[in-house]
């Protein structure tokens, strides 16, 4: 994929404001959280001027059987139709943000940057960073002029459930949920608690600071190396339903690794009752 450095992955509020002055950017508001999946009310109450709302549940996912997980990847044609409705155009920079330290907006970054959009950036510090820099918000909805982007999944780095099962034998599989969910102490939404045998606990919230900014590249890389991520072995991420797994992939990419994502994640795995689970702090 074209984005290989932290500088080419992130954009500051000042840089975004400059692009907006030159009408050289499409801004996407990708608000979603587990306890409040519909972010539209918050978007309508205040968003970055010109930002188009992206619905994670209906536009960045395609729902089917429970055994597919809660947020299966949408068909490429569905994503392309949605992206065009957001105004995404060939050769035009796209910036994504949310109000959750970019834990949800990274799903849009991951899908778009691996399916044909050449320049996708994440707003460092998310919405809080924008307002902290003194920039205003607009209310109401934005309807974009339709775009012309063409998307395909030829380069989408994704694992099937069978590939996820055997991945710890050849690489490093990171479970990026909160530690208590990994250990099986709590499970707020999926049918079984625990983690995929062999997966290592690596909460993706550790990759951002209190202000929601991504930690420096060298610091991120050292943290992943200490977890056991090896530049010479493949690395994959999963979460509850494939949303924050994309954020972990974003952080790994910023740190210089080349991750893949198990998009079905725990919501798919735990709905297959024949799949084994592990509990406790030990991967196995």
């Amino acid at each position: 994929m074209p984005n290989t450095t932290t500088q080419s992955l992130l954009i500051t509020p000042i840089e975004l404001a400059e692009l907006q002055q030159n009408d050289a950017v499409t801004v996407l508001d990708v608000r979603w959280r587990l306890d409040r999946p519909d972010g539209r009310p918050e978007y309508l109450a205040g968003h970055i001027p010109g930002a188009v709302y992206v619905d994670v549940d209906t536009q960045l996912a395609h729902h089917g059987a429970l055994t597919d997980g809660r947020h299966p990847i949408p068909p490429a044609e569905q994503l392309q139709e949605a992206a065009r409705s957001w105004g995404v155009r060939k050769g035009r920079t796209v910036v994504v943000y949310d109000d959750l330290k970019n834990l949800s907006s990274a799903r849009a970054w991951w899908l778009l940057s691996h399916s044909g959009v050449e320049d996708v950036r994440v707003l460092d510090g998310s919405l809080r960073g924008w307002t902290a820099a003194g920039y205003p918000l607009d209310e109401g909805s934005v309807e974009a002029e339709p775009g012309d982007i063409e998307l395909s999944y030829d380069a989408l780095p994704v694992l099937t459930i069978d590939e996820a099962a055997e991945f710890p034998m050849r690489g490093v599989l990171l479970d990026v949920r909160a530690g208590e969910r990994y250990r099986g102490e709590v499970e707020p939404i999926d049918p079984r608690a625990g983690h995929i045998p062999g997966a290592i606990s690596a909460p993706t919230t550790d990759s951002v600071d209190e202000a929601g900014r991504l930690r420096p590249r060298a610091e991120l890389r050292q943290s992943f190396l200490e977890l056991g991520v090896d530049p010479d072995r493949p690395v994959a991420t999963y979460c509850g339903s494939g949303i924050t797994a994309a954020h972990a992939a974003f952080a790994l990419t910023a740190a210089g690794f080349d991750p893949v994502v198990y998009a079905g994640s725990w919501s798919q795995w735990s709905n297959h009752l024949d799949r084994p689970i592990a509990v406790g702090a030990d991967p196995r």
Side-chain angles (χ1 to χ4, degrees):
M1 62 174 293
N3 294 331
T4 57
T5 68
T6 304
Q7 288 75 21
S8 64
L9 296 171
L10 291 168
I11 189 168
T12 67
I14 293 175
E15 292 168 334
L16 174 55
E18 290 175 351
L19 286 180
Q20 287 183 311
Q21 287 181 346
N22 298 323
D23 191 28
V25 63
T26 297
V27 185
L28 305 180
D29 185 305
V30 195
R31 291 192 231 193
W32 175 93
R33 60 182 65 207
L34 187 61
D35 61 339
R36 198 163 64 250
D38 183 3
R40 185 176 292 275
E42 287 79 11
Y43 164 82
L44 294 173
H47 56 78
I48 292 177
V52 178
Y53 177 69
V54 174
D55 190 309
V56 170
D57 278 348
T58 64
Q59 295 180 309
L60 298 182
H62 178 76
H63 300 284
L66 290 176
T67 49
D68 294 332
R70 285 184 278 114
H71 291 106
I73 295 171
E77 310 81 53
Q78 176 184 324
L79 182 64
Q80 178 176 285
E81 180 181 359
R84 289 181 175 182
S85 75
W86 306 328
V88 179
R89 306 189 67 81
K90 300 173 185 176
R92 185 177 174 89
T93 298
V94 174
V95 172
V96 302
Y97 75 91
D98 59 31
D99 59 355
L100 192 66
K101 299 183 178 182
N102 290 314
L103 298 183
S104 58
S105 65
R107 169 80 169 208
W109 166 83
W110 179 65
L111 284 175
L112 292 174
S113 62
H114 287 92
S115 62
V117 183
E118 294 181 357
D119 186 13
V120 186
R121 313 285 184 95
V122 173
L123 179 61
D124 203 18
S126 61
L127 185 63
R128 189 194 315 180
W130 175 265
T131 55
Y135 293 110
L137 299 178
D138 279 355
E139 298 178 356
S141 183
V142 174
E143 299 298 327
E145 181 179 339
D148 62 356
I149 195 67
E150 295 181 3
L151 303 179
S152 73
Y153 284 162
D154 293 343
L156 189 67
V158 65
L159 297 179
T160 66
I161 189 171
D162 289 331
E163 291 168 336
E166 59 85 28
F167 199 88
M169 292 180 281
R170 64 183 184 88
V172 178
L173 181 63
L174 300 180
D175 182 316
V176 307
R177 300 171 298 163
E180 58 268 25
R181 291 186 71 189
Y182 170 87
R183 295 187 296 271
E185 297 165 2
V186 298
E187 181 45 62
I189 193 166
D190 292 316
R192 295 191 290 166
H195 60 266
I196 297 174
I200 295 171
S201 180
T204 196
T205 50
D206 292 345
S207 294
V208 293
D209 64 20
E210 285 300 315
R213 295 186 300 265
L214 194 70
R215 290 164 55 193
R217 176 186 174 96
E219 192 176 314
L220 279 175
R221 188 171 180 85
Q222 183 60 33
S223 294
F224 285 126
L225 291 172
E226 290 174 359
L227 284 170
V229 177
D230 184 337
D232 296 323
R233 300 177 68 208
V235 59
T237 68
Y238 78 90
C239 61
S241 67
I243 304 300
T244 59
H247 182 269
F250 173 75
L252 282 160
T253 302
F257 298 101
D258 189 20
V260 296
V261 172
Y262 170 34
S265 286
W266 188 249
S267 61
Q268 181 183 42
W269 186 277
S270 61
N271 271 291
H272 284 260
L273 301 184
D274 59 326
R275 297 287 177 174
I277 62 172
V279 295
D282 189 279
R284 291 290 176 184

